[in-house]
Amino acid sequence: MVAMNDSPAGDGSHQAFLDATMPHVDAVWCVARRMAPDRSAAEDLAQETFLLAYRGFGGQGSGGVRPWLVAICVNAARSQYRQSSRRPQLTGWQFDADPTGRESGDEVAEAAMAEIERSAVARALADLPEEQRVAIVMMDLAGLTAAETAESLGVPRGTILARVHRGRRRLAAALEREGLGRGR
Amino acid sequence: MAGEPVDRVAAYLAGDLDPEAAGVFEAHLLECDACWAAVRADRVGRAAVEKLREVAPAGLADRIRAMVELSDDGNRFPAPLRSGRRARLRGFAMAGLAVVVAAAAFAGGKVEFGNRAVVRDPQIIVQLVYLAGHAGHDGPIVGASGDRGGFSMSRMTAAGVPVIVARSPAAFAMPDRAVPMTSTDDPWVARRGGVTLVCLNTPHPILVAAALPAERLEVLARQFEQTT
């Protein structure tokens, strides 16, 4: 697991922290979005991730910044939602995209279908066993390699590959049951 | 073939097989429906998940930068706390977060330190207040001004629980997902992140937030209101 330094970053090093971490905001957001129960909670989780990271900056070891940030986010989510017995739960459709500004009926329909598919995938992902979900979120959404994911979670690389593979297959099966995802 | 089926497929898809072994496996795929289906399902699942990739919401990066940069203006993050105290500090942080979101959204979203306007985005204001208010002493946190005049906030402790009290010359508007406590929207109660907010707009607007039950917080709010 990632070691953390409890002391805040030193004077004047906030720019160094920002330079090192801000390129990975989208990756952290992708993880937070799937580890938190809703969009608002995901924003809180993402901000908390960077708060925790800033406090421990300089003590993160020799690994990359992105795996370090992602591990902080995953651990923070597990801690928070284990306490409240809440895991990401999606009911119905969640239209995250802003549909305004579409000009044609075809574009509206296409956007709506894309959102339906995204929501179905999000539901299927949320329903995966936690081990598989976390591994897939870290690799397929945050872009970590299998080795980085394995090191962050403290398990063998082969274990990560097996979890990801099983999770992806379950996802595909779930989407097929909903009539989605075949070769699209 | 050697190895468990899942391991072989996973290894192949991960590119772990050398060219010779990969060729053998690909020949196997042509004859094995189960492995073929497994490879195909893996690719379908991966492609589906990758559609969930998205950019961070507008303003998130700015809020993070603001937090970090302000923390270097002498407002350090609180020292690490252990277990129970960490939970209470988090409750305080969420209380400050919830109160300022409710109040700043009404106040027009502008925060000033002295005569220097800082930011307008309510979410950034939330973080500013948290950073400004982390110090261990009770008392005023930060003043915010808006189109309808300023409001002030203080932090105090009730039975060991941090309580945020915000006062304003103008009423606090009821936020989304709040519940009116009477047939009108005044007073109202809301919850966010385990923190309860109670607002009494009559006779003097006061907004109280803490990780306490609504009934108890209402009693505190009425006591604070009487000291206005």
Side-chain angles (χ1 to χ4, degrees), chain B residues 90-104:
Chain B
R90 180 175 178 79
F92 158 65
M94 292 303 295
L97 201 75
V99 167
V100 181
V101 168

Side-chain angles (χ1 to χ4, degrees), chain A residues 8-19:
Chain A
D11 287 340
S13 66
H14 70 271
Q15 193 58 50
F17 172 80
L18 292 173
D19 289 345

Side-chain angles (χ1 to χ4, degrees), chain B residues 107-133:
Chain B
K110 182 178 176 181
V111 173
E112 293 185 341
F113 288 105
N115 293 323
R116 180 170 58 92
V118 180
V119 290
R120 289 185 174 273
D121 184 281
Q123 290 294 331
I124 295 180
I125 293 172
V126 165
Q127 301 300 336
L128 294 175
V129 171
Y130 167 64
L131 290 170

Side-chain angles (χ1 to χ4, degrees), chain A residues 70-176:
Chain A
V70 168
I72 291 174
C73 186
V74 169
N75 290 336
R78 281 171 160 173
S79 175
Q80 177 173 349
Y81 299 114
R82 180 183 305 129
Q83 290 177 1
S84 61
S85 298
R86 294 168 67 191
R87 55 187 287 266
Q89 301 211 4
L90 301 173
T91 57
W93 298 335
Q94 288 189 332
F95 285 84
D96 288 340
D98 179 3
T100 62
R102 303 291 179 181
E103 294 185 357
S104 73
D106 287 346
E107 289 177 341
V108 172
E110 187 175 328
M113 284 305 301
E115 276 305 311
I116 291 171
E117 287 200 34
R118 281 174 51 88
S119 292
V121 174
R123 279 198 306 276
L125 182 62
D127 286 341
L128 290 180
E130 201 239 9
E131 288 183 342
Q132 295 174 8
R133 175 166 52 87
V134 170
I136 286 177
V137 166
M138 293 178 79
M139 281 190 63
D140 292 345
L141 289 181
L144 270 58
T145 65
E148 290 170 338
T149 303
E151 183 177 359
S152 295
L153 296 177
V155 300
R157 181 174 173 276
T159 301
I160 292 299
L161 291 178
R163 289 178 183 176
V164 168
H165 175 63
R166 290 190 176 103
R168 288 170 178 169
R169 290 179 64 180
R170 290 180 73 140
L171 272 169
L175 294 177
E176 186 167 343

Side-chain angles (χ1 to χ4, degrees), chain B residues 36-63:
Chain B
W36 176 268
V39 168
R40 186 178 178 285
D42 186 287
R43 288 174 172 157
V44 168
R46 177 176 181 174
V49 171
E50 288 179 345
K51 290 180 182 178
L52 295 180
R53 287 182 176 173
E54 55 184 283
V55 296
L60 178 60
D62 290 338
R63 290 194 289 276

